[in-house]
Amino acid sequence: MTQVYFHCSNTRGVLMDRRGTSVTSLAEACEAATSMMRSLVATVSLEDWRDWAVHVSDEDGEEIVILPFAFVLGKPH
C-alpha cells in the first residue's frame, strides 16, 4: 500500500489534500482521482472546473500523474 495525495490546482490557487488515500497501484490512484474530480464537479458551486487539474503525489511529495478536470468534463461544445 502506498499513501497518495490529490492536490487540485488552477492558475488562481491550490487545494491541498492533507489526509491522502491508501492505494495499491497507479490504476487505483487514477480511479480515486477520477472519482474525486467527479464528486467536486457534481457539487453545486460557482467554480468553473475546466481549468483545474489533479496532481497525484506520493508520500515523498513526488508527482506521479497529473489529470486535468477536462478528463471527466469532456470538451465544451
Side-chain angles (χ1 to χ4, degrees), residues 6 11 14-16 19 22 24 29 34-37 39 41 43-44 48 51 53 61 72-73 76:
F6 304 104
T11 56
V14 176
L15 300 173
M16 298 294 292
R19 290 183 4 192
S22 293
T24 58
T34 301
S35 176
M36 190 242 354
M37 286 189 287
S39 178
V41 168
T43 302
V44 176
D48 180 359
D51 67 339
V72 298
L73 289 171

Side-chain angles (χ1 to χ4, degrees), residues 5-73:
Y5 299 86
F6 304 104
H7 307 303
C8 300
S9 70
N10 69 2
T11 56
R12 296 177 310 279
V14 176
L15 300 173
M16 298 294 292
D17 175 8
R18 303 218 186 272
R19 290 183 4 192
T21 302
S22 293
V23 297
T24 58
S25 67
L26 177 59
E28 187 178 350
C30 289
E31 288 173 18
T34 301
S35 176
M36 190 242 354
M37 286 189 287
R38 285 193 172 118
S39 178
L40 285 171
V41 168
T43 302
V44 176
S45 75
L46 297 176
E47 189 61 55
D48 180 359
W49 294 104
R50 287 177 289 190
D51 67 339
W52 285 82
V54 176
H55 302 259
V56 182
S57 301
D58 65 14
E59 297 167 328
D60 298 324
E62 294 295 320
E63 200 163 71
I64 299 168
V65 67
I66 301 172
L67 296 171
F69 272 68
F71 179 73
V72 298
L73 289 171

